Structure formats: C-alpha cells, structure tokens
Amino acid sequence: MGMTTAKTGKSSSPAPDRSTSAARKSGDLLREIEVLRARLEEAEATIQAIQSGGVDALVVSGPDGERVFALEGADYPYRVILDVLNEGVVTLGANGAILSCNNRFVTFIGMTSERILGRPLADFITQEDAPRLSAFLSEVAAESGIITICLARADGTTMPANLSAAAFEVGGLHALCVVVTNLSEVFDAAKTRMWLASIVETSSDAIISNALDGTILTWNAAAERIYGFSAEEAVGQPISIIVPRNRISDVAMFTEQTRLGQQIKGYETSQITKSGIAIHVALTISPLMDAAGKTNGISIIARDITERKKAQAELEEHRHHLEELVEQRTLELSVKTSDLQSANEQLQSANEQLQSANEQLHEQGEEMAEANELLREKSETLRRSEERLRLALQAVKMATWEWNIPDNEMTWNDECYREFGYEVGSVKPSYEAWINRVHADDRVALEEAFHAAMSEGWEYSTEFRTRWPDGTVHWLWALGGFDCDDSGKAVRSFSMLLDITEKKDTELRVQKLNEVLQQHSAALEEINEELDSYSHSVSHDLRTPLRLTNKIAHLLLQEHGAQLPHGAVEKVRMILDSTHQMGKLIEDLLAFSRLSREPMKKRRVDIGRLAQEALEELQDERQGRDVEVVIDELPPCIADRALLKQVYLNVLANALKFTRQRERAEIHVGCAQLDGETIYFVRDNGMGFDMSHAESMFLAFHRLHRSQDVEGSGVGLALAKRIVERHGGRIWAEGQTDHGATFYFTLGE
C-alpha cells in the first residue's frame, strides 16, 4: 500500500480597519467567505479520503512550518516488516533528524527509541566519521549511495557498519531512508584471516597443504626458501617433487594415516630441493577436515634440520675422537666393562627366559611369583646402572693431576677436587692432600705401588678407595706415568682418575643376582621337567577318550545310521565335530606350551616367499570363494623361519575366516618403514572388531565371536603374540566393526 497524504493550511486574515469604507469592508468579507468555502471543501474531501482508507498521513502547514501526522495503525504492516529485518532502518527528515527507526537499529545503538527519535543521525556516529557522514547525506539527497563508517554505541563501544541511503518524498516533504548493516562479523573474520595468513607467511617453517591425491594446494614463503620452488612453481604439482625416490612409499603411508584422522609429529626424514640437494627435515603431518569431520586434505609443517644434523655429525665425530683418546688410557677398564656387559647380556637373556616361564607358571604358587618379581626389580636396577655407566663413559668426565716432583708442586683440575671430596679451590693441591683422602685400608698398598712405579719410571694402573669428610667411601681407578730425566730419575708425574663406585656396586649386585639366578634356574629346570611330564599326560589322557568317542560315533553312523532318526544323526555328527575341535584345541594348547621351551634357530628369511607358502597351505579355505590376495615385495629379515611361518599361517587364516561373508574378500600382505623400524601387516575387508577389544584378542582362549558363528580355538593369536615377542618384537591390531581389520607386527632388531 502506498502512502497518501492530505495537505491542509491555516492563514490569518487582516483585522478590519474601522476607518475604511463600508464597501471595502463588504468586499473583504466576501473574499473571506470564499476562502473559508474553499477550505471547507478541502476539509470535506480529506474527510471522505480518510473514511475510504485512502489517506495514511496528514501534512499540516502552520506558522511553525509543515508537520506530518500519521493516522493510527496506518503504518503497522510496514513496522512489522522493518522490525524483523536483520538490518537497522532509520528515516531522516530534511534537517537530518531521525523521524523513525526499527528495533534492530535500537539494538545497534543500545538505547530506547524515545531517546533516539528527533536527534540527528550524526549523534550516533564516531567523531572521526562525522564529516564523512555529513558529506554523504548531502550527496544522497540527489542520488542513492553507500558508505562504511563506525556507529558510536551507548556503552562507549563502536560498531563498523554500512549505510545504504536513498531519498524519497512524502506529500511534498523530502526525506532519507537509511539501511544500517552490521559489519562486525565481517571485520572480525577478515582480521582472523589476515592474522592466520600472516602467521603462515612469516613462519620460519615450511607450511604446505595438499589434496589426498598428493596435489600441492598452498605453499608459503618459508617453503620457497627451504625447497627453492616458488609458489607458482609448486602449487598444482604432486608432493613427490620434494620426496626422494627411496621415500616415495612414505607418501602413501602418511596419506593413509591422515585419511584415518591420525596425526604424525616430529617425523625426521630426508627430502630434496629444486636444485636436487638433499636436506633433512622434521615433519608434522595433520589431516584437514571439512565441516562434517571428513578428511579432505593434508597439512604438512616442515622444519629444516639440515644444520642441526650437520652439527650432530660434527659432534659425533668429535665425540668419537675423544673416545679414541680415552680408549688409549682406559684399555683395562674397557676390558672389564666388556666382560660386565657380556655377563649382563647373559643375565638379561636368562631373565627373559625366566620371565617367559613365570608367565606360564604363575598359577604354581605365590613363592615363585614373588621370586620372579624380585628378579625383575633386580634386572631393572642393573639395567639402569648399566645405562648410567654407559653415559659416564660417553661423557668422559675424568679427573687429572700433574706433580712436579723436584719442586713438589702439584696441579689438579676441578674434577680432581670433586673426586677427592674437596670443594674446588678449598685446599692447595699436594701429594699429602691426595694421600690423606685414600682409605686407610688401601693407603699403604697404594703408596708402595706408586713409589715402586716412580723408582722405575713405569706406567701404573690401580684401583683404590677414598673416604670423604662425610664418611662415604668412593672407588677410583687411576692410570698414570712418569717423565724421567737423563739419569732415569722421575721428575714429573701425571695421572687420570675415574670414579668407578657404581661399577663396583654393580659388580656386587651382579654377584648377588647370579646367586639368585642360579637358584631360580634350578627351580625353572625342575618346573620345565614337570611341564614336559604334564604335556605328555595331556597328550595321552585327553586324546585317548577323544579317539574312543570319535570311533564309536563313526561306527554308530556306519552300522546304524539308516535306523537312527534324522535328529539323532545330526547329534552324532555334532559329536564328531566336537571331538575334532577338541583334538585341535589340545594340539594348539600343546604347541602353545612347547613354544617358550624350544630354542629359536634364527637365520635370514625371505619373508615374501614364506607368506606365499603359508597362503598355499590355506588353499582349502579359499576353495569356492572370490578371494583376492596381494603380497607386496617384502624385505628379508633375521628370524626363526618355522615360527615366523606359524605367525603368517595364524594371521592369514584369521583374515580368510572373517571375510567369508564378503562377496569378494580382499587381503593385503605388506610392510612399511616408520622411524627406522620395519612394520609388517596383514589387512582384510572382513567383519572387523570393536577397538575396545584390541588388547584382549591376543589372550589365550579369548574369543570375540560365538563358536557357532566363527570356528576357532582362541589360541592362534596368542600363539602369534608369543612368537613375535620371543623375537623381541610386538604385535597389535586396528579395526572397525564391519570395516575390516589390520594386524601389525615387528621383529625387533
């Protein structure tokens, strides 16, 4: 509906002049009557228009100018529309005052409409933008326009906004309609984008994003500096332009992990620049996800660590040089340490066997379990001591001293003070200060050996104890010699000292542990003999009734099958199936029991050929099915071939068993390199499993599915786990219900 206005006016007639003639007075009255008649007709027309609904507002002219009166309810439809708009709307009079505003504008300003109406729009604009607003309102009086300014809100804050203004006329009156759009979210989003872009562009790390097919999408300034490719050269190219040929397989592995939503942090690898130069980088690889949480890209942050690697290599070279120098003076200690390490390796090997036996025999009694726990604690203590000793040898923190014999002047380095239990600089270095710290029980023998070597000018190597002021006793190893004058008399003595207290403590602990180990080894031997006897008993006592039951059931079917009801025949066949399954379970149980006692025969194994042999032995399981098996080229390894084949037999049998419900079974046998470690895997598209059972599925006799749904003894995966762990590796599984499963394992060093 348009707005119709009726315009009325009021005028004042001059007062009659009593001095004028009657004729003039009469003429004035007639003219006045005509004016009143015209106004009356205008008023009648206005009333009729109002009654017919054709008038929404009245414009009344008077001494104070024209005034607009809106009829009650006439603008209601418009106000409903304006109040539901997301933009603010105001109407300005010719003088710039606000005639009306909607609720959204009231919200923007933060005050009531009564306080807004009648005030100039400039009152609600920041002082900086007031001149621009004035110029803008002058321009849009003739033509519509848009301006971006800041509103001044009642709480003192500002709000960026777009003002869209257009002029209009109502009943001869000029006015402006201004639409106010809030730009706060637009400005905030722009600032965020600029901030993030600034971070990416100013980062010292290369930040790259690529699609799941490997196409590079973004390439920051640091990537240009590190790799030599400009953004124009790199964007749109495959990520393989910076990956060496021998690392191409990493791309597929990383893509697969990020597709599953996984993040890879701190992965160190080598890449190539535009000029073909190899560089070292540390990668952080993360999935990029859309609003639905689906991975649609990959983010790569690459830090150039080439210089760090060079520094590490130089440090390693320097350390190696220092080790060679120290090795010349520490031959005896090295020999002793080697013997200790050899004994420790034997102890660790024995500990592994004992621990494996204890896992099988933990139900034999609390006494054996407590002894095993004690051995674990002692082994861990020994391992930590060995680690500390190794670090000490690497650090090569040796004390040194030099003695000018004729002048009786001695010099010590700082470490020498510490080895004798002195504060650095607290005493003057001297022969007496040194010998006074030697343990009373060792002092006489040490002085005799020292003076004997000095009289002959020999080198010497000896071990002795020192006692510190706090009463503690420390073991030192000394290696030294003498310089002699032309007459053969010693004139200078020099020596290096090394604290071997931990070594001595370790030797004592090893001696005690060997005694405990001998006791446990004897007990273990006795238990193993009992296990062998138990295994023979199980083999004989359980198989005999099974064979008898199986034979009776066969005879029953052969001789009386025709006379038996159909239901009875099915039950007899169930007996045969059950005896067969029980026999298989006994075989698996005996194999599981024998596994930890049989010695391993490690040699080089062609693992690809071994996996193919295992698959051929499972040919019966593939008969009549559409099964696709892909075996990648697998690197050889060092392992017990028979045991490793059993691992592949069990895992492949699992894959074939749990893909029976698929129209086309897909099985992939492969491996991947991660952090220098070879990880073998078998992946299928079968029933999968809930990851909450990922650990328990490797327990003996633990089944995730009912026997009537999927057959099995529940020993296969436990047997595979035991074999892998005996090789020093680990095994684990990942999967999702109805989306397949992947079994991974490693074989240690």
Side-chain angles (χ1 to χ4, degrees):
M1 171 187 273
M3 178 178 286
T4 304
T5 61
K7 187 170 183 180
T8 63
K10 294 182 181 180
S11 62
S12 59
S13 301
D17 190 354
R18 295 179 181 176
S19 63
T20 59
S21 63
R24 183 170 183 174
K25 182 177 181 180
S26 177
D28 290 339
L29 290 173
L30 290 174
R31 284 193 296 274
E32 202 171 301
I33 289 171
E34 288 299 326
V35 171
L36 292 173
R37 184 180 290 112
R39 291 182 177 177
L40 181 60
E41 291 175 354
E42 182 181 359
E44 289 176 349
T46 300
I47 292 171
Q48 291 178 358
I50 293 172
Q51 290 176 344
S52 64
V55 176
D56 293 336
L58 298 176
V59 180
V60 180
S61 299
D64 299 327
E66 295 181 339
R67 298 179 63 187
V68 180
F69 296 90
L71 298 183
E72 184 177 359
D75 61 347
Y76 178 74
Y78 307 109
R79 286 206 167 274
V80 171
I81 295 172
L82 292 178
D83 284 340
V84 297
L85 290 178
N86 197 42
E87 286 80 10
V89 180
V90 297
T91 304
L92 305 181
N95 59 355
I98 299 175
L99 301 178
S100 65
C101 63
N102 68 346
N103 288 340
R104 190 61 174 169
F105 185 77
V106 170
T107 302
F108 286 166
I109 300 303
M111 62 176 59
T112 63
S113 59
E114 288 80 4
R115 296 178 59 191
I116 294 175
L117 296 179
R119 295 174 62 179
L121 180 59
D123 287 358
F124 306 105
I125 305 300
T126 61
Q127 292 182 359
E128 293 81 359
D129 288 338
R132 295 177 55 237
L133 175 66
S134 177
F136 172 70
L137 294 180
S138 298
E139 292 174 1
V140 297
E143 187 178 357
S144 61
I146 300 176
I147 187 174
T148 301
I149 61 173
C150 282
L151 297 180
R153 307 181 68 183
D155 59 3
T157 60
T158 60
M159 184 189 86
N162 263 352
L163 302 187
S164 303
F168 67 96
E169 184 178 344
V170 179
L173 291 180
H174 295 283
L176 288 177
C177 178
V178 181
V179 178
V180 183
T181 303
N182 185 357
L183 298 182
S184 297
E185 293 183 358
V186 176
F187 275 39
D188 291 344
K191 289 179 181 178
T192 301
R193 287 195 297 272
M194 291 176 63
W195 178 67
L196 292 176
S198 175
I199 291 176
V200 171
E201 286 305 313
T202 58
S203 172
S204 60
D205 295 336
I207 301 178
I208 306 167
S209 65
N210 59 271
L212 293 178
D213 63 359
T215 302
I216 297 173
L217 303 177
T218 62
W219 187 268
N220 75 339
E224 294 183 352
R225 174 178 55 78
I226 293 173
Y227 295 104
F229 292 98
S230 66
E232 292 75 10
E233 292 172 325
V235 173
Q237 296 296 321
I239 195 67
S240 59
I241 64 173
I242 61 173
V243 180
R245 291 183 179 179
N246 62 342
R247 294 283 185 177
I248 290 298
S249 61
D250 290 354
V251 176
M253 181 178 66
F254 294 153
T255 301
E256 180 64 20
Q257 288 180 304
T258 51
R259 192 189 299 273
L260 298 175
Q262 299 176 2
Q263 184 185 52
I264 302 166
K265 294 183 178 179
Y267 179 75
E268 295 187 3
T269 184
S270 61
Q271 294 186 334
I272 54 175
T273 65
K274 180 180 178 180
S275 58
I277 298 174
I279 60 173
H280 294 278
V281 294
L283 302 179
T284 297
I285 304 173
S286 307
L288 298 175
M289 298 183 178
D290 56 20
K294 181 179 179 182
T295 302
N296 59 5
I298 301 172
S299 166
I300 303 173
I301 300 176
R303 175 165 295 176
D304 188 350
I305 59 172
T306 304
E307 291 304 319
R308 191 190 80 188
K309 287 290 186 180
K310 289 181 180 178
Q312 288 177 345
E314 293 175 358
L315 183 61
E316 180 64 21
E317 182 179 356
H318 183 63
R319 184 190 65 80
H320 182 68
H321 178 64
L322 289 177
E323 287 180 349
E324 289 180 347
L325 293 177
V326 174
E327 186 177 359
Q328 297 173 6
R329 299 292 185 178
T330 57
L331 179 60
E332 183 177 349
L333 179 61
S334 298
V335 171
K336 292 182 178 180
T337 302
S338 177
D339 293 342
L340 177 62
Q341 289 176 340
S342 177
N344 188 37
E345 289 175 359
Q346 296 176 6
L347 180 61
Q348 287 180 338
S349 176
N351 180 45
E352 290 176 0
Q353 297 177 7
L354 181 60
Q355 184 176 0
S356 175
N358 282 335
E359 290 177 356
Q360 301 175 37
L361 304 173
H362 65 279
E363 295 181 355
Q364 295 296 316
E366 289 186 359
E367 183 178 355
M368 193 64 185
E370 291 176 359
N372 187 40
E373 182 63 23
L374 176 62
L375 187 57
R376 283 200 201 98
E377 293 176 358
K378 297 298 183 182
S379 298
E380 180 61 19
T381 301
L382 182 59
R383 186 192 66 77
R384 289 197 296 267
S385 297
E386 181 189 10
E387 181 65 13
R388 287 195 295 269
L389 180 58
R390 183 182 66 81
L391 292 175
L393 289 174
Q394 289 179 348
V396 196
K397 291 184 177 179
M398 279 193 171
T400 62
W401 58 262
E402 184 175 335
W403 182 25
N404 185 329
I405 299 174
D407 298 334
N408 194 24
E409 292 182 355
M410 182 175 285
T411 58
W412 296 348
N413 69 351
D414 291 350
E415 194 64 30
C416 193
Y417 281 95
R418 298 187 186 97
E419 296 293 3
F420 293 150
Y422 292 112
E423 292 290 335
V424 176
S426 62
V427 298
K428 181 180 179 180
S430 65
Y431 178 85
E432 292 74 16
W434 164 52
I435 207 68
N436 286 339
R437 279 288 192 257
V438 177
H439 195 283
D441 294 342
D442 297 345
R443 190 175 301 161
V444 173
L446 178 62
E447 286 195 284
E448 289 178 352
F450 181 80
H451 287 292
M454 184 170 65
S455 64
E456 299 295 336
W458 295 337
E459 290 187 353
Y460 61 88
S461 174
T462 185
E463 297 176 355
F464 60 92
R465 291 170 292 173
T466 61
R467 183 182 294 277
W468 287 11
D470 60 3
T472 58
V473 176
H474 299 263
W475 277 92
L476 294 179
W477 170 75
L479 176 66
F482 299 90
D483 289 336
C484 299
D485 59 14
D486 295 338
S487 64
K489 183 179 180 181
V491 295
R492 188 174 71 92
S493 175
F494 53 86
S495 181
M496 293 186 299
L497 303 171
L498 183 66
D499 189 332
I500 58 171
T501 304
E502 290 188 4
K503 172 180 172 293
K504 288 294 185 178
D505 291 344
T506 301
E507 290 175 350
L508 180 60
R509 287 196 295 270
V510 168
Q511 180 181 355
K512 292 180 179 179
L513 284 173
N514 281 330
E515 294 174 358
V516 174
L517 179 61
Q518 290 175 356
Q519 297 174 3
H520 286 293
S521 295
L524 179 60
E525 185 65 28
E526 182 180 348
I527 292 172
N528 282 335
E529 291 177 359
E530 293 178 0
L531 266 178
D532 288 337
S533 174
Y534 170 74
S535 298
H536 288 301
S537 174
V538 167
S539 177
H540 181 270
D541 295 347
L542 294 182
R543 285 177 178 174
T544 299
L546 277 178
R547 291 194 188 100
L548 180 60
T549 302
N550 189 278
K551 184 175 181 179
I552 293 173
H554 272 295
L555 290 174
L556 188 61
L557 284 179
Q558 290 174 0
E559 298 179 2
H560 304 286
Q563 289 81 29
L564 292 174
H566 177 71
V569 172
E570 289 300 319
K571 291 178 180 178
V572 172
R573 288 175 178 166
M574 287 175 62
I575 292 172
L576 290 172
D577 290 342
S578 297
T579 56
H580 174 73
Q581 185 174 359
M582 186 62 183
K584 181 65 169 60
L585 181 60
I586 292 171
E587 288 291 339
D588 290 345
L589 180 60
L590 291 176
F592 189 75
S593 174
R594 290 193 300 267
L595 178 60
S596 61
R597 300 195 304 277
E598 294 179 352
M600 291 201 302
K601 301 176 182 178
K602 288 190 176 182
R603 58 189 176 95
R604 184 181 176 87
V605 177
D606 183 346
I607 200 166
R609 182 177 178 182
L610 183 143
Q612 185 64 45
E613 291 176 4
L615 186 64
E616 291 172 358
E617 291 188 20
L618 297 170
Q619 183 63 32
D620 291 345
E621 180 62 29
R622 301 167 61 190
Q623 292 294 331
R625 297 176 56 189
D626 184 5
V627 180
E628 178 187 13
V629 180
V630 176
I631 300 179
D632 293 343
E633 184 176 347
L634 303 175
C637 66
I638 302 299
D640 185 305
R641 195 179 193 282
L643 293 180
L644 188 57
K645 184 177 180 180
Q646 188 64 48
V647 172
Y648 272 101
L649 279 170
N650 291 354
V651 177
L652 285 171
N654 237 39
L656 289 168
K657 179 167 56 177
F658 287 97
T659 55
R660 287 177 185 163
Q661 298 180 359
R662 299 291 188 244
E663 293 183 4
R664 179 182 178 82
E666 297 176 358
I667 299 173
H668 181 194
V669 181
C671 72
Q673 295 289 331
L674 185 62
D675 294 336
E677 183 179 37
T678 302
I679 301 175
Y680 301 94
F681 64 83
V682 176
R683 181 178 292 118
D684 64 65
N685 66 335
M687 299 168 61
F689 62 90
D690 188 333
M691 281 296 290
S692 62
H693 301 296
E695 295 292 336
S696 60
M697 67 170 58
F698 293 100
L699 300 177
F701 311 113
H702 185 86
R703 296 173 51 84
L704 300 182
H705 303 84
R706 299 180 304 173
S707 58
Q708 55 264 44
D709 294 334
V710 181
E711 77 282 357
S713 63
V715 177
L717 289 180
L719 189 62
K721 180 175 184 291
R722 181 62 56 82
I723 293 172
V724 168
E725 288 179 346
R726 286 199 68 190
H727 281 79
R730 64 188 194 283
I731 186 169
W732 69 97
E734 296 178 358
Q736 185 178 354
T737 303
D738 203 37
H739 287 80
T742 304
F743 286 82
Y744 301 91
F745 66 90
T746 65
L747 295 174
E749 297 183 358

